[in-house]
Structure formats: C-alpha cells, structure tokens
Amino acid sequence: DLRPRSGVELIDASFQFLRENFALLFTAVAVTYAPIAVLEYQAALDPANIALAALKGIVAWFFSAFAQAAVIAIVAARYMGEEITAADALRAVWARIGTVLLVTFVYGFLVGVGTVLLVAPGIYWGAKYFAAMAAAIVEGRGTSSALDRSAALTDGSKMRIVGIFLVTLIIYFALNAAVVALGTALTSVAFAAVFARGVMAVTNPFLFTLVTLVYFDLRIRREGLDLDFLMAKEQAAAGGAVPG
C-alpha cells in the first residue's frame, strides 16, 4: 500500500511487516548474527583477552552491517511486490559489501562524533543520513551519493524522523536491556551473550524495517513514488492486454 503514512502508521506497518515476513527476516539476520554470537560467547569466557575482544568488535561491525542491508533488501523487494528469499538478499548485499561497510562506518563516525559534541549534532546527523543505507541498497548508489541522497530526502523532515525513531529506540533499548538482565540472572554471562544476540535477531529486523519504510515514505512525499509505481503497473498491464 504505497501512500504517505503518519509516524504511528509507519511503526504499525513495520510491526505488521515483521509479523507477515518473520521467518524470512529472522533467517537472514540469524545467519549473519551467528558468527557474532560465537565470538561474543568466546569473549565472555575470556574477558581479559584483548585481541579476542578486538576481533569480536570487527566481526560484529561487519556482520551487523550485513544484516541491516539484507533486511533493507528484503523489505524493499516485498514492499514493491517482488518475491525474494533470504539467500537472494544475502547474495545481493555481498555483491555490494564494500559500499555497505563504508556507509556503516561513515554513518557511525558522524553520529559518534556528533554525540560527543554535546549530543545534538549526533541526533541531527543521525536523522540526516539515516536513509543512506537504504539509498545504497535500493537505488544502487555509492557511499558519497547515498549520503547525499539521504540528506536530500530528509531536508525539512528531520524533526519528524527524530520523533519516529526516538520513541521506537527507547522502547527497543529498554526491552533489550531487560531481556539481557534476565538472561544474565538465569544463566552464565557467556550464555547470556548468546541469548542477547538471539533476541536481537528477533528485534533488530523491526528497526531495519522501520528505516526502510520511512525511506520509502520520504520518497512518496517528495517524489510521488506511489504515482510512478501505479503508472508503471498500469503501463505493464496495458502492454500485456490482448486487443479485443
């Protein structure tokens, strides 16, 4: 249903999409999170091992970016009425892994530096460039072009974007913290780390889905993407019609 949506409608649509495509999304994320879970377990068993902790951080960065991009690829395909499997999404992302990693690095660097600079710049840059990954995956843009594309799409909409994600992130982090605390209380620290990563494989697709739907919502509002899509469908139908 390609149409402009309110923030509440976008959040609700993300939940609905997650329910309807849970197995597909969970499979893609679980596959990419498995190496992270293994290293997090090992690092929890040997907390003094600095080299292992560093390796864990690198692997987590790599595969977290992979997971986010795979979910965006799945959501974008399904949103536009196309069929896609988890394997299809992972292959598509792997073909553009360099751009995926660079976009993730630049975005994280800007938000991190901005947060250190009295928080507000981090929030501003987070809203300004949140759609860079979606632009890279959906539109096939390079890193610089994807960042510029996100900046253009979010122009004049940053406060709305912050509002949508602020409430969502508060609930998300509170839920994850509660689950991790429960897991730590009931099991060892090492098993709690694996348990927490499993929970993230369930909850993170919702965040990545919301990112993708907000990206499409901006394109609908600014560029009439819904009208272009409907016209393309009508032209395809007319081209396939049998003359009377």
Side-chain angles (χ1 to χ4, degrees):
D1 185 13
L2 273 69
R3 61 177 177 81
R5 299 173 187 262
S6 68
V8 173
E9 287 178 320
L10 286 167
I11 293 172
D12 181 67
S14 298
F15 274 118
Q16 181 179 343
F17 186 93
L18 181 61
R19 288 195 302 269
E20 294 175 354
N21 299 272
F22 179 79
L24 176 60
L25 294 170
F26 178 78
T27 300
V29 175
V31 167
T32 52
Y33 277 1
I36 306 176
V38 171
L39 281 174
E40 286 177 335
Y41 177 78
Q42 294 296 327
L45 291 176
D46 189 8
N49 191 327
I50 298 176
L52 183 59
L55 178 61
K56 180 193 73 173
I58 294 171
V59 169
W61 165 65
F62 180 95
F63 283 102
S64 293
F66 205 149
Q68 179 183 1
V71 171
I72 289 173
I74 290 170
V75 177
R78 299 294 297 127
Y79 191 73
M80 302 302 289
E82 302 170 3
E83 294 297 326
I84 188 171
T85 66
D88 293 335
L90 294 172
R91 281 194 294 267
V93 172
W94 180 252
R96 309 206 65 234
I97 192 63
T99 299
V100 167
L101 294 177
L102 194 52
V103 167
T104 302
F105 176 80
V106 173
Y107 183 80
F109 177 79
L110 290 173
V111 173
V113 170
T115 301
V116 172
L117 299 175
L118 303 178
V119 180
I123 295 174
Y124 174 82
W125 286 332
K128 182 176 182 178
Y129 296 117
F130 92 95
M133 183 68 80
I137 296 301
V138 178
E139 302 177 43
R141 294 175 178 265
T143 303
S144 179
S145 177
L147 291 166
D148 290 342
R149 173 66 162 156
S150 181
L153 285 174
T154 58
D155 185 33
S157 301
K158 293 180 184 64
M159 289 304 298
R160 177 172 178 267
I161 293 167
V162 169
I164 291 172
F165 286 105
L166 182 60
V167 174
T168 305
L169 286 173
I170 290 173
I171 297 173
Y172 167 80
F173 284 121
L175 176 62
N176 275 0
V179 171
V180 170
L182 179 62
T184 303
L186 297 178
T187 65
S188 66
V189 174
F191 278 109
V194 176
F195 180 65
R197 183 58 58 178
V199 171
M200 292 174 67
V202 175
T203 58
N204 281 5
F206 167 74
L207 283 181
F208 305 151
T209 297
L210 182 59
V211 166
T212 313
L213 294 188
V214 175
Y215 156 78
F216 275 117
D217 186 73
L218 290 172
R219 290 189 61 184
I220 289 171
R221 292 172 181 273
R222 300 183 71 89
E223 303 171 347
L225 176 66
D226 51 340
L227 299 178
D228 291 341
F229 182 73
L230 289 174
M231 289 178 63
K233 287 183 66 176
E234 290 176 358
Q235 290 171 359
V242 178

